[in-house]
Amino acid sequence: MSGSLLVDNIGELVTNGIGEGPLGIRRDAAVLVEEGRVAWVGPSAHAPAADRRVDAEGAAVLPGFVDSHAHLVFAGDRAAEFAARMAGQPYTGGGIRTTVGATRAASDDELRATVRRLRAEALRQGTTTMEIKSGYGLTVADEARSLRIAAESSTETTFLGAHVVPAEYADRPDDYVELVCGPMLTAAAPHAKWVDVFCERGAFDVDHARAILVSGQAAGLGVRIHANQLGPGGGVQLGVELGAASVDHCTHLSDADVAALVGTAHSDGSGTHTVATLLPGAEFSTRSPYPDARRLLDAGVTVALATDCNPGSSYTSSMPFCVALAVREMRMTPAEAVWAATVGGARALRRTDIGVLTPGARADLIVLDAPSYLHLAYRPGVPLIRQVMRNGVPQ
Ligand code: NIG
Ligand code: FE
């Protein structure tokens, strides 16, 4: 679709840029879109003419959600494991191997259909950018095809060959790490932007994680890490040491972990800034204590929210659900949660062109069926996304 587009009559515009408060709010505003980018933001009454017009009818308009952590390439589900957890079983991550078996047995088309279905589901809930990880293949061929399929739906693709040690390597984890750092990385890297490791007891220790992440960096990939989800450990500090864009989960943090994250914070979000990405869908679905978001925010750490969408620990694609959880269960203010779900996610992906609605940004935006962003947490479980635009194109 070419030509300019004006979204006007916006009751409350979240720009995450210039405006009132941390969300940069403007009232009675309009946004002009040209060539997929925000060209102008200002008072609706003084909006320039455009080829087409969308009347927001007084509703709230926000940047689209940036979901910086999702595992969409898999087959089967683990509903029975969820039911067992709700009956008292703990989550250990051991079920990942169940999904690996199903994923290896699936055809490319089956995997592709699942990725597309979940990506479309997320889009309907306002997610305009979604990171997608591999990690349920765990052979050279299955990781490469997982990433090839992921890359059809996102430019933010992540090689997670180090999700768990697969059963056939159970008694020789060093050999598996060698495979991941060698032929698997070589096959995966052309389709991936990031490398990730599940650094946790029962998955990969700090030494293995360092070897894999350093190899990924040498192959040109950016670093992210699953760290400190199920217990304390060295993952967060390893991520900081390697200049990770994001350390994800952060449920069990020491004072030294928090201090290490604070040490990376730069006000402009550039350089070697490491974001703490919190994934409250995982604590919800594993009935675990939530991460202490207040401790991180009060210390000055940049916080992002993401879904962790996967068939085991968090089978939700809904960023509005995560915003509501963060507000109700993690004592984030609604403004902090919306910031973390938009520009926070962008920073976790080291992107400056998304998560904001300021001139020059991509015109990725959502129109709510509500007068304010507050309703995302205030009206949990209600489908409040009236319209989604990516690059200024209605979806
Ligand atoms: O981020 N923690 C490791 N990976 C996923 C869970 C994957 C699974 O249980 O299938 C997570 O929670
Ligand atoms: Fe995850």
Side-chain angles (χ1 to χ4, degrees):
M1 219 178 289
S2 61
S4 56
L5 168 72
L6 184 71
V7 184
D8 68 355
N9 216 356
I10 300 169
E12 180 185 271
L13 174 66
V14 172
T15 67
N16 287 331
I18 296 171
E20 188 189 302
L23 294 180
I25 287 180
R26 289 163 170 260
R27 306 203 186 270
D28 304 316
V31 175
L32 178 70
V33 177
E34 282 172 354
E35 290 171 4
R37 299 264 166 179
V38 175
W40 176 91
V41 173
S44 201
H46 302 123
D51 299 325
R52 286 171 299 121
R53 172 175 177 243
V54 169
D55 182 351
E57 297 174 338
V61 170
L62 286 73
F65 297 117
V66 179
D67 185 352
S68 61
H69 185 137
H71 310 243
L72 304 189
V73 194
F74 64 83
D77 72 28
R78 296 186 355 236
E81 185 189 307
F82 174 76
R85 276 204 301 279
M86 295 305 107
Q89 294 293 312
Y91 174 78
T92 61
I96 294 171
R97 289 205 183 98
T98 307
T99 302
V100 169
T103 304
R104 287 177 180 176
S107 68
D108 289 8
D109 281 346
E110 284 165 339
L111 296 179
R112 185 171 287 121
T114 297
V115 171
R116 288 190 180 159
R117 173 177 63 80
L118 292 169
R119 184 65 196 88
E121 191 180 276
L123 187 67
R124 288 196 297 276
Q125 295 168 94
T127 298
T128 47
T129 301
M130 196 168 194
E131 183 255 20
I132 305 179
K133 300 177 196 298
S134 67
Y136 292 113
L138 310 189
T139 65
V140 172
D142 285 304
E143 284 297 298
R145 80 164 171 149
S146 295
L147 286 162
R148 235 183 13 250
I149 290 167
E152 294 169 3
S153 293
S154 180
T155 57
E156 301 293 344
T157 53
T158 301
F159 170 46
L160 181 59
H163 200 181
V164 285
V165 176
E168 64 275 18
Y169 280 91
D171 51 1
R172 43 193 187 107
D174 291 351
D175 291 355
Y176 185 65
V177 171
E178 221 169 275
L179 178 74
V180 172
C181 294
M184 196 183 280
L185 174 62
T186 302
H191 315 290
K193 181 167 174 185
W194 303 98
V195 59
D196 192 349
V197 172
F198 184 20
C199 183
E200 196 80 39
R201 192 189 297 271
F204 295 87
D205 64 22
V206 168
D207 290 340
H208 281 157
R210 181 185 282 106
I212 293 158
L213 295 173
V214 166
S215 300
Q217 269 177 325
L221 306 183
V223 169
R224 33 205 335 105
I225 185 168
H226 283 70
N228 303 53
Q229 175 187 6
L230 306 176
V236 164
Q237 292 188 54
L238 175 65
V240 169
E241 174 194 321
L242 297 179
S246 178
V247 292
D248 294 29
H249 283 289
C250 294
T251 311
H252 297 270
L253 297 185
S254 66
D255 288 346
D257 296 329
V258 177
L261 288 166
V262 172
T264 74
H266 300 290
S267 55
D268 64 355
S270 65
T272 55
H273 189 183
T274 299
V275 172
T277 298
L278 309 183
L279 308 164
E283 279 74 33
F284 177 87
S285 183
T286 58
R287 193 173 275 147
S288 305
Y290 289 92
D292 190 345
R294 280 261 58 87
R295 181 182 177 205
L296 289 165
L297 288 163
D298 292 347
V301 174
T302 302
V303 170
L305 286 170
T307 62
D308 197 13
C309 183
N310 76 79
S313 64
S314 183
Y315 202 5
T316 179
S317 58
S318 172
M319 289 294 280
F321 175 61
C322 294
V323 166
L325 283 181
V327 171
R328 174 61 181 82
E329 302 294 334
M330 287 156 56
R331 293 187 301 133
M332 289 173 76
T333 65
E336 286 168 338
V338 165
W339 193 96
T342 51
V343 66
R347 294 212 181 155
L349 295 170
R350 299 235 161 116
R351 297 272 301 267
T352 53
D353 59 330
I354 54 176
V356 295
L357 290 175
T358 50
R362 278 173 54 138
D364 290 356
L365 60 85
I366 54 183
V367 183
L368 296 190
D369 247 332
S372 169
Y373 73 88
L374 288 169
H375 286 230
L376 290 165
Y378 172 46
R379 307 200 62 217
V382 177
L384 290 180
I385 312 300
R386 182 194 298 170
Q387 188 165 27
V388 182
M389 288 186 202
R390 287 177 83 200
N391 288 322
V393 179
Q395 302 293 298

